[in-house]
Structure formats: structure tokens, C-alpha cells
Amino acid sequence: MIRNALGRELPESIPGYGVVKPFLGHDKRVPEGNRDGGRIKATFGTCTDKVLPDIKAAIAASGLKSGMTVSFHHHLRNGDYVVNMVIDACAEMGIRDLTLFPTALFGVHKKLIPHIKSGVIRRIMGSVNGPIGQLVSEGGMEEPVVLRSHGGRPRAVTCGDVHIDVAFLAAPRADRYGNLSGVGSNSACGSLGYAFTDAMYADCVVAVTDCLQPYPIGNVSIPQVYVDFVVAVESIGDPAGIVSGTTQITRDPLRLLISRYAAQLIEASPYFKNGISFQTGAGGIPLAVTAFMKEAMKRREVKGSFGLGGITGYFVDLLKEGYVERLLDVQSFDLEAVRSIASNPDHVEISADWYANPWNKGCAVNMLDVVILGATELDKDFNANVNTEADGALLHGIGGHQDTAAGAKLTIISQPLLRGRIPCVVDSVYSVTTPGEVVDAVVTEYGVTINPRRQDLIDAAKEAGNFPLLSMEELLAKAKQLVGPMEPVQTEERIVGVIEWRDGTVIDVVRQLKAKA
């Protein structure tokens, strides 16, 4: 066994994963070598139409065989139909032992469970939200799921850690020669940011669309030079599934109080000035922070430079009203953002590589001043867990959590101290997703707790004096006073999930839950 920089005990090698490179520190691993690449191809004048009659024809033409790796992106989120459609076809064609490499799987993908049990899917490398995560936690997959951040995923592809044999791209609009767009159709999802790396690095790229138009379309996101085949289907998904309850501003008084404290901390920080950049993402509390920041920007006549990440209608309003100059959008989180990216040149589509890959020549998160994040748990060392619930179930992906925390000058985690009877602040998190060295503050309904590493921020908050400051020890004591000791998670030794830091080192593992008696 070995210990990583956080003291987490890890095996030297994990069956189904391989040799473990232990986490060294958030910026300690330096890349070596050259970028990887997909297969070189040419069509000359012999191919002027890439449309095939159906999914099975595209699978056959792609050369997809048992044991290969297939990728997907999740811009349609819980409204996606493409992953299920493709894997159903693979199963009917007798293809097995696939490695699934999605950016994320949602509840809508629970139809994959029979394919996992039958051996069509052998391995998953990607976020597993909901029912598939529960299946994995209970030991339902033979090989561990590998979890990577939005930046860690393109890093793994571009450096050759993961090779994509066939990428299936859900394209809301396409032409017959493979130009793809995320806007201008009934299934529009806006940005196609997660699909860019797959298109550029996969050996074969299949576009699946429900809006096939004459060549050439406008508003091209992914050009024809990366696409091998195009398939038209009745529907690639339901855009209503993009929007969930997490993209609505909270109306809960307690959560609004937390949001106000977080906004006040930002205003007290040295970063609240003209040119401020920020990412607040979706979720009731972050959206409320956005609204409070807008009030403060208006009151103090501060204009921001850009908003980043998953973009919502609240960010679109900031752009329209001149509170930020640009939006850099890797994922459009609601339909207002979808409409905006189609029409406003200052609403810019970016790839996940551009957004957050730590191993390129400068990703966007490096330019962030402030990010607001959530967590299921935070511990006395400010380590954050976003992957597992209090019962140890692996139900959530990493998203851009690691990337933005590492890149931003001020990283705030805002959350209630309790969820029901479950404390969000504990002695030691069950699994580490993001190390405490890149978390600057946690904001709860009891006030603001700042990482002792950030004495400058503590001084600024004291000078502002408009919210309660409390230490991590005080916050932890408050949680223990309210709920008492918690029962530890009961697990087997078997590892069912590997959590990579964005540089490919292992920051933690997740073990199989013990069956309940």
C-alpha cells in the first residue's frame, strides 16, 4: 500500500484500473511527451455524402468491435436518447466488453443497467449520476469506474491515457457532410463543448442528428473535417431534460442567507473590482449568489470581464445588461443560455480542453477570480467530497469542481451545515474529490469559515465586518453539537471507483458498500 499527499492509503495497483500514480499535490505533476492523436484519413472526391441509413449501419462502418472504447457527451443531460440508442444497437449486433467513456451518465441512462449485467458494457470511465452510480456502489460492475473532472477528461485523451475508438456525437443540427451545430433546431442544446476533444482525437466519429439539413449549415461548432459518418434519427433527446431543479434560484430563506454571506465575502475580497471574472454554475445557492453579486456590482459600479463554465439564463442577463463583457460556455445549462449562444457573438462556445485541461498552454479556469461550488462533505482540512453521499454511495460526478478550485483565485464552497440530520462538515470526508489546499472558504448559515492558508482573506473579511467569521474548529463543533456522532460507512475491501485528480494521479478510491442485513 502507498499513501498519497493527503495521507489516503491506496494500493499500488488496482484490478481493472492498473498502476496507481498517487496524488502529489494540486500542481506537482509535470507533463512529459507529445500530444496523442486519432487516425489520419482521407476521402478526396470519392465521398461527398456521409449519411448512413441507421445507427447499426454506422456502427458497422465505424469498425466498432467487442472490447473497444466508445465515447459520448452529455449536453442533453437527463434528456439524452443517444447513449441508450447506440448501446442497444451494439447489444443487438453482438458487440460486448465495451468501455463506455461518457462525459456523464444521468437517470435517463438507467436503461444501460441490463447491458452492464449482460456484459455488453464492461467498464465505465466517466461520471455516474443516479441509478448507475448506485449499481456501482453495490458492486454491480466487475471493473472500477474511473472518475475524472471536466478538465481531467480531455487531458487523459490528449496525452494518450485514454484512446477513443468511436465517438458518437449527439448533434442537434447537421448537414450531409458532417458539419455539426448545437443550435437552430427543436433539440438544440447550445454549446457542444465536451464533444470537441472526442471529435478531434477519436479514430472514428459518428454524428447522430434529428435535424439533417443541406450542405453547408451555419453556426458550425464541429466542422466536417472531424466527422466520418452522419446518421439521422427521429429524435436525439428532449431539450427539456437539460433543465433540472438545480438550475432554479433558491427561495429557501436559510439558503438565501448563505448566498448573501458568500456574495459579501466576494465583495470584501481584493478581487471585487472592474474586470472580475467568475463562475457560479447552476444550483439554487450559486444562482442566488449571482443575483446578490449583481446587486453589489450595480451599487459599486463594478463591471466584470467574463463568466465561465456551465451558463444559465442568469449569466445571460448579466451579459445583456453589461455586467460582464463575455460568456465562455462549455455547457448551456438552460434554454435561455441555448437561445443566447445562438445569437450573441459575445456568448462564446469553448471546448472542455479550452475550459479546464491542466495540460495545455493555458485553460480558461486559470483566468478565474472567483468560483462558487458545492460539496456533499467538507472536512477540517477543507478537503471536499462531491462524489459520494453520506452513506458512501457513488452518486455524483466531479464536473469542473477540481478544475475551477485549482484555477480560481478565490474558491468558496457554500452549503447548509446540515442536510436533514446529515452534517456537511466532518472530521474527515469519506472520499476526497478536491484537496483542501485549493479551497479558500466554506460558507454556511452560521457564517464564513476561511482556510487559515488565506490570512489575507481573513484580514479582508474582518475589515468588512458585515458577516460572522468562525473557525473550522468552531464550525465542526457546531455540527457535532447538532447531530452527535455519525456511524461510519460500512464497506467491503473491493474498490469500485477510482477518483483521479485532474492531472491523472489518484486522489482517492471508493469501496463497495456492505450489503444491508
Side-chain angles (χ1 to χ4, degrees), residues 116 270 298 383 429 434 493:
I116 293 172
K298 183 177 182 180
N383 297 313
V429 292
T434 299
E493 277 302 306

Side-chain angles (χ1 to χ4, degrees), residues 17 19 21 23 29 123 125 145-149 152-153 155-156 161-162 387 398 402 432-434 497-509:
Y17 177 78
V19 175
K21 297 181 180 70
F23 173 72
R29 189 183 181 202
R123 186 184 191 198
M125 294 190 288
V145 169
V146 182
L147 302 173
R148 298 185 175 93
S149 70
R153 186 179 185 277
R155 181 211 59 80
D161 284 357
V162 176
N387 293 121
I398 298 172
Q402 296 178 344
V432 182
T433 308
T434 299
V498 178
I499 304 171
E500 286 191 355
W501 178 240
R502 59 200 298 252
D503 66 1
T505 57
V506 176
I507 194 165
D508 213 342
V509 295

Side-chain angles (χ1 to χ4, degrees), residues 190-401:
S191 174
L192 294 178
Y194 299 132
F196 279 70
T197 300
D198 298 31
M200 294 175 184
Y201 285 83
D203 279 347
C204 183
V205 176
V206 177
V208 183
T209 186
D210 54 10
C211 183
L212 186 61
Q213 295 187 333
Y215 179 88
I217 60 169
N219 291 107
V220 173
S221 291
I222 295 175
Q224 63 198 45
V225 299
Y226 297 115
V227 177
D228 293 84
F229 306 111
V230 179
V231 176
V233 297
E234 183 176 347
S235 176
I236 63 170
D238 179 4
I242 298 173
V243 182
S244 70
T246 60
T247 57
Q248 301 299 314
I249 197 166
T250 183
R251 295 182 180 179
D252 180 89
L254 184 145
R255 291 170 185 267
L256 285 173
L257 177 64
I258 296 168
S259 306
R260 186 173 291 281
Y261 283 154
Q264 288 172 339
L265 177 61
I266 296 168
E267 190 175 352
S269 77
Y271 314 113
F272 192 77
K273 58 188 178 184
N274 282 326
I276 185 174
S277 57
F278 49 99
Q279 176 172 331
T280 55
I285 290 176
L287 291 176
V289 174
T290 308
F292 288 129
M293 278 187 67
K294 179 181 173 182
E295 288 180 6
M297 294 172 79
K298 183 177 182 180
R299 175 170 29 87
R300 292 180 52 179
E301 298 182 342
V302 168
K303 296 294 178 65
S305 54
F306 70 93
L308 179 65
I311 298 298
T312 64
Y314 297 97
F315 256 121
V316 171
D317 289 342
L318 291 177
L319 177 64
K320 287 179 179 175
E321 297 171 30
Y323 289 102
V324 295
E325 294 181 356
R326 304 277 187 287
L327 298 179
L328 303 183
D329 187 342
V330 71
Q331 179 181 20
S332 306
F333 263 139
D334 61 25
L335 300 183
E336 183 59 34
V338 172
R339 285 188 283 271
S340 172
I341 201 171
S343 59
N344 190 334
D346 290 323
H347 187 157
V348 180
E349 181 180 31
I350 64 171
S351 69
D353 189 355
W354 180 354
Y355 170 50
N357 179 357
W359 284 4
N360 61 28
K361 296 178 182 177
C363 57
V365 297
N366 295 347
M367 302 300 288
L368 268 179
D369 288 318
V370 178
V371 65
I372 302 291
L373 298 169
T376 57
E377 291 179 308
L378 198 85
D379 70 20
K380 60 185 179 184
D381 296 319
F382 289 82
N383 297 313
N385 171 18
V386 300
N387 293 121
T388 53
E389 289 286 343
D391 63 358
L394 181 59
L395 297 184
H396 311 287
I398 298 172
H401 201 280

Side-chain angles (χ1 to χ4, degrees), residues 46-52 176-177:
T46 56
C47 174
T48 58
D49 188 335
K50 299 176 181 176
V51 175
L52 294 176
R176 303 185 73 88
Y177 210 44

